[in-house]
Amino acid sequence: MLQKILDDESEPVEGEEHLAALTAGDRVPWAKARLQYFAKGVNKSSLDAIEKAAFCLTLEDEAQDYDPNDHTALDRFGSALLHGKGYDRWFDKSFSLVVFSNGRIGFNAEHSWADAPIIAHLWEHAITDDIVSIGYDDVSVCHPKYRSIKLTISTFFKSVCDMHNCHMVEYIQSVYTSHYTLIM
């Protein structure tokens, strides 16, 4: 399934690229956009598909890695998971799985006091259970189904998305992330 998504060469609708920036900032503009642009038609059904999904999968076109000799590599990795480019994360999901181009993986999760520990425990369980209990066969083949969503984006709505992308860029520039490794 992932290979099919990676091989998909269809172009996004003009304005679609910055759509997710609406989910990143102030809730009022996103609520207004939902009422105005997602109340009917293909946009409504596409938003329904996103909202009914258990989580979002983000396939990054950049690589991230950990380098014990370069603390800034972990800072970049953490920042990529926290906010990405600001327009490439759907922040209205409890969590998004983020897969980088080099196969490294992480997640962006709702960070409230109750949600964050749950997803962290789920992550730990999934990683260990997958290896210990489920295992892999010799060819590791899986064929789940997916469907591509479609959107109709007017010129004005594109400008709304672009404006919120600019706000998200400002948010990102105001966030300082520094990650430390505890060596015992």
Side-chain angles (χ1 to χ4, degrees):
M1 171 179 80
L2 288 178
Q3 192 60 54
K4 187 173 181 181
I5 294 170
L6 293 171
D7 292 342
D8 185 352
E9 294 181 13
S10 60
E11 291 294 320
V13 174
E14 185 178 349
E16 185 179 345
E17 182 178 21
H18 295 152
L19 176 66
L22 286 166
T23 69
D26 186 7
R27 306 309 296 160
V28 174
W30 174 222
K32 288 179 180 178
R34 289 172 62 98
L35 290 173
Q36 188 169 358
Y37 301 108
F38 292 92
K40 61 184 177 192
V42 69
N43 288 359
K44 180 176 179 15
S45 63
S46 291
L47 182 61
D48 285 346
I50 293 168
E51 291 184 335
K52 289 177 182 174
F55 61 91
C56 282
L57 173 65
T58 302
L59 301 175
E60 275 286 343
D61 54 5
E62 297 176 6
Q64 294 293 338
D65 215 339
Y66 168 71
D67 180 351
N69 299 316
D70 177 12
H71 72 88
T72 63
L74 191 56
D75 294 345
R76 289 188 302 275
F77 201 158
S79 293
L81 291 169
L82 178 63
H83 52 65
K85 296 178 185 99
Y87 61 83
D88 58 352
R89 303 286 184 270
W90 196 268
F91 292 101
D92 272 358
K93 298 305 287 181
S94 293
F95 75 97
S96 292
L97 200 55
V98 182
V99 181
F100 296 96
S101 64
N102 60 342
R104 293 289 187 196
I105 191 168
F107 65 90
N108 174 290
E110 172 62 39
H111 54 275
S112 68
W113 69 271
D115 288 340
I118 292 169
I119 194 66
H121 179 73
L122 173 68
W123 186 251
E124 180 182 20
H125 177 76
I127 291 171
T128 57
D129 191 55
D130 189 41
I131 294 168
V132 174
S133 301
I134 300 170
Y136 291 89
D137 63 18
D138 292 340
V139 291
S140 300
V141 175
C142 181
H143 301 282
K145 295 181 181 178
Y146 84 99
R147 86 175 167 98
S148 180
I149 62 169
K150 305 289 183 213
L151 296 167
T152 302
I153 296 181
S154 68
T155 303
F156 180 76
F157 186 43
K158 177 187 178 308
S159 69
V160 170
C161 294
D162 290 343
M163 178 186 68
H164 285 280
N165 180 59
C166 290
H167 292 312
M168 191 57 198
V169 168
E170 291 172 11
Y171 293 149
I172 289 171
Q173 290 172 348
S174 72
V175 174
Y176 173 75
T177 55
S178 184
H179 305 84
Y180 300 94
T181 304
L182 179 62
I183 301 172
M184 302 186 92

